[in-house]
Structures are given as structure tokens and as C-alpha cells.
């Protein structure tokens, strides 16, 4: 039954009411989304649980972790590998062990305080040269036997290091050894895939680093160990080669930081999963639109989203929740959204089971 609005003059609501009456006469007018007044909006997206398969939430503040909980995070994998938190360069094996131990030490309290499941990824990051990596590899077997450890990583060949170069073949050997350990423990591997960042509109003042949102002494970067036409993609290809040499099923490999430079290779030439990092889109230029495009082209079956939130970056714990709504606005079906933000990370990493 039609109604009139008691407004001083006609408003949008009156016009929408007229369109609704017109559609009762001509149902075909529903085909024009710009003229629809009665959208059947999926309110289930408001309460859709989601999983973050790559963050460093144990380095964040209590308030940041609470934001994960408030926005519906059901489970997360906190990655403790990373040279950012070690004060010494080059990094020694004992420094990395400290990072692993710190995450293990704090995990239970994080779960208790925020109600989401918090599991761990442990690995050897190659962003800085690590002395005595064999000591870490020898210890990793016992760590991977822990129930709270659900993946090896993040790891992967890195074209350029902080402070000191790490020979690319040595890197690949360490990455491959981790993949062998993962295979022995039936664990997936999370890759750190190098990004090809978007062009900056302007350069920052000399001495301020890459950007004010990234607390890294960029001037201490070492000369790249890969200098070919596309070193970022070559690094990913070396990672895949290492997985194959280790006998690790490619469906057990998740390439985080997926972008336009590596998506086609990973989707067309491997069986790896892709995880698009959207927690700091201002830095790498990847956002929900890129995820939607990938779903349109390849389907949702091998795609995930992560935040990669860490205390060295300006990041957004609400990023996945925002992306859930954005994906729907971009035309992605609700079932596909659920596959990407919940079911895929659940099944690959054994989270929220």
C-alpha cells in the first residue's frame, strides 16, 4: 500500500515510492539497480565471522586487538617471524628464538582477553641476514610439534635486506629447509611475497624514510641480491621451486601480499593460495577492489584476505570487516565473501574448528 510523506516538499523518499509503484506495473524495471528502492540487503554480513591468516597482533596494543574482536574476528594467526623487532643487525638465531618464545608466552592471555582464537606461525624471515640459521632450523622441529603452531612462516626469498645482504641461494636453502619441516609436520607455509608498490604522488623530505607510516630506517637497506627485470616475481618463483623440491603440496602454500605482479603466475601456474594484504593499502596499493577483481577472474576457491597489522606500520584492524562490505558493494556474492574471509583460511590453517 502506498504512502505519502508529510514533508514540506517532495523528497527522494516520495520519488522512490513512485518508482516502487511503477515496478508493480512493469516488473522489468527491477533490472536497473540505480532505480531500485527495495534492495534485499544481506544483513548477515553484519555478523559474518572472519579469520585473519596473517598478522602480528601480539606486537599491537590491547586496544588494537580489541578492535579485532569488536569487528567480528573469529580467529587469527599471529606471525612471530620478523626482523623488525630485533634490535641487533645482523640477527642471531637466539634473537629469532626470542620472538618465537615471546609469542608463545603471550598467546594464551591474548585469547583470554579478547575471546578470539589466536594461533601462531613461526618462521625465519629473510628480510635481514640471520647468523647461524641452522641453529633455528634444528630447533624448529620441536616448535612445530606444538598444538598452537599452525603454520611455518612467514618466510620466502627477499630481493633486498636491511643492513646486510643475504645471498639469494642461501636464502632459498633456508626457505626450502623450512618447507621440509612443514611437510614433516603436515603444516602449511605462509610466504612473504615482495610487493611492487604503487607510484608515490610525491617524494617525502630527505631523511624521513619510506613513509611516515612505516617505522623503518630505509636508508640502511642493502643492495638487492636479485637485480633482474622483475626481482619481486623471481623471488616468488624461487619460493615455489623450493616448495616443489621439498615435496610440499602447493595447496599447502599461501602467498601473502598477493598483488598484480604475482597473481597471474600464482593462479595460472601453481596451486598455491593467494592472500591479499589490505591492512595497509596506502603502502602497497592493494585493496578490496583488487580482491574483487581476482574473485571475478579466478573464483573464490584459492583467495584469502589478511591485515598484516604490526606495530611498525600504520595499519587497520578493521580492514577485513570493511572489505566484507566493500566486496558486496563491488558485486561479490555473499557465499563467495564467506569463502574468502572465513572458509579458506579455516580449512588451510585449521583455524576456528
Amino acid at each position: 500500500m502506498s504512502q505519502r510523506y508529510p514533508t514540506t516538499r517532495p523528497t527522494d523518499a516520495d520519488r522512490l515510492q513512485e518508482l516502487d509503484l511503477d515496478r508493480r506495473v512493469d516488473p522489468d524495471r527491477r533490472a536497473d539497480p540505480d532505480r531500485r528502492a527495495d534492495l534485499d540487503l544481506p544483513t548477515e554480513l553484519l555478523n559474518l565471522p572472519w579469520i585473519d591468516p596473517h598478522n602480528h597482533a601480539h606486537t599491537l596494543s590491547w586496544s588494537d586487538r580489541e578492535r579485532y574482536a569488536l569487528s567480528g574476528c573469529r580467529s587469527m594467526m599471529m606471525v612471530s617471524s620478523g626482523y623488525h623487532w630485533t634490535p641487533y643487525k645482523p640477527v642471531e638465531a637466539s634473537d629469532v628464538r626470542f620472538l618465537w618464545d615471546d609469542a608463545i608466552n603471550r598467546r594464551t592471555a591474548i585469547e583470554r582477553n579478547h575471546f578470539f582464537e589466536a594461533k601462531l606461525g613461526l618462521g625465519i624471515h629473510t628480510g635481514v641476514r640471520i647468523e647461524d640459521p641452522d641453529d633455528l632450523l634444528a630447533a624448529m622441529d620441536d616448535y612445530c610439534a606444538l598444538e598452537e603452531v599452525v603454520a611455518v612462516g612467514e618466510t620466502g626469498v627477499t630481493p633486498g635486506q636491511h643492513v646486510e645482504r643475504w645471498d639469494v641461494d642461501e636464502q632459498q636453502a633456508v626457505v626450502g629447509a623450512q618447507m621440509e619441516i612443514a611437510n614433516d609436520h603436515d603444516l602449511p607455509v605462509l610466504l612473504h611475497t615482495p610487493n611492487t608498490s604503487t607510484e608515490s604522488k610525491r617524494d617525502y623530505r630527505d631523511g624521513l624514510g619510506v613513509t611516515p607510516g612505516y617505522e623503518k630506517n630505509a636508508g640502511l637497506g642493502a643492495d638487492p641480491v636479485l637485480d633482474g627485470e622483475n626481482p619481486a616475481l623471481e623471488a616468488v618463483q624461487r619460493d615455489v621451486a623450493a616448495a616443489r623440491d621439498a615435496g610440499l603440496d602447493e595447496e599447502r602454500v599461501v602467498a601473502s601480499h598477493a598483488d598484480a605482479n604475482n597473481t597471474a603466475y600464482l593462479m595460472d601456474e601453481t596451486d598455491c593460495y593467494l592472500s591479499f594484504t589490505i591492512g595497509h593499502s596506502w603502502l602497497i596499493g592493494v585493496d578490496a577492489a583488487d580482491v574483487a577483481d581476482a574473485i571475478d577472474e579466478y573464483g573464490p576457491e584459492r583467495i584469502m584476505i589478511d591485515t598484516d597489522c604490526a606495530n611498525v606500520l600504520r595499519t587497520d584492524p578493521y580492514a577485513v570487516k570493511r572489505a566484507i562490505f566493500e566486496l558486496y558493494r563491488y558485486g561479490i556474492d555473499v557465499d563467495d565473501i564467506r569463502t574468502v574471509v572465513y572458509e579458506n583460511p579455516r580449512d588451510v590453517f585449521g583455524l576456528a574448528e
Side-chain angles (χ1 to χ4, degrees), residues 283-310:
L283 178 62
I284 62 175
V286 174
D287 58 23
D290 299 287
V291 182
D293 289 343
I295 295 171
D296 284 343
E297 185 166 358
Y298 300 104
E301 291 78 15
R302 289 162 51 203
I303 293 175
M304 304 181 194
I305 301 176
D306 66 69
T307 69
D308 193 27
C309 281

Side-chain angles (χ1 to χ4, degrees), residues 99-341:
L99 299 180
W100 296 352
D101 296 352
D102 179 59
I104 290 171
N105 179 57
R106 302 183 61 228
R107 187 196 65 85
T108 300
I110 289 171
E111 281 192 336
R112 184 174 60 241
N113 282 328
H114 304 288
F115 304 104
F116 50 67
E117 177 185 68
K119 298 295 187 180
L120 300 177
L122 304 180
I124 302 173
H125 198 298
T126 60
V128 66
R129 185 175 70 82
I130 298 175
E131 295 181 339
D132 302 318
D134 289 343
D135 292 348
L136 283 173
L137 293 170
M140 186 176 285
D141 190 68
D142 289 337
Y143 281 86
C144 287
L146 297 174
E147 181 180 349
E148 54 264 52
V149 175
V150 296
V152 169
E154 63 186 301
T155 189
V157 172
T158 305
Q161 282 71 51
H162 189 60
V163 180
E164 292 197 19
R165 300 170 85 241
W166 199 356
D167 178 78
V168 66
D169 291 329
E170 293 178 7
Q171 286 187 57
Q172 188 167 346
V174 170
V175 171
Q178 292 177 84
M179 291 178 170
E180 291 177 0
I181 294 171
N183 196 34
D184 290 342
H185 288 271
D186 192 27
L187 292 176
V189 170
L190 182 73
L191 290 181
H192 168 89
T193 60
N195 284 113
T196 53
S197 301
T198 56
E199 290 294 328
S200 175
K201 293 181 180 179
R202 288 185 59 147
D203 292 331
Y204 285 103
R205 187 185 299 271
D206 289 344
L208 292 184
V210 178
T211 166
Y214 190 9
E215 292 174 348
K216 176 181 179 180
N217 293 313
L220 299 180
D223 292 335
V225 295
L226 291 173
D227 56 6
E229 182 178 338
N230 193 339
L233 182 59
E234 182 182 343
V236 178
Q237 293 169 334
R238 281 176 169 267
D239 293 337
V240 173
R244 291 169 177 169
D245 290 343
L248 182 66
D249 190 333
E250 290 177 12
E251 293 183 353
R252 303 290 280 163
V253 176
V254 178
S256 187
H257 317 319
D259 65 6
N261 187 50
N262 57 38
T263 292
Y265 164 72
L266 288 164
M267 294 303 284
D268 294 335
E269 301 184 38
T270 80
D271 292 323
C272 301
Y273 280 77
L274 276 68
S275 187
F276 289 87
T277 299
I278 60 172
H280 40 81
S281 297
W282 58 270
L283 178 62
I284 62 175
V286 174
D287 58 23
D290 299 287
V291 182
D293 289 343
I295 295 171
D296 284 343
E297 185 166 358
Y298 300 104
E301 291 78 15
R302 289 162 51 203
I303 293 175
M304 304 181 194
I305 301 176
D306 66 69
T307 69
D308 193 27
C309 281
N311 68 355
V312 296
L313 285 167
R314 171 160 52 89
T315 48
D316 181 13
Y318 291 133
V320 174
K321 187 63 176 184
R322 297 184 202 279
I324 287 173
F325 299 132
E326 282 291 272
L327 289 174
Y328 181 78
R329 294 174 183 130
Y330 284 131
I332 304 302
D333 291 340
V334 173
D335 288 343
D336 290 346
I337 295 173
R338 182 181 179 87
T339 296
V340 168
V341 304

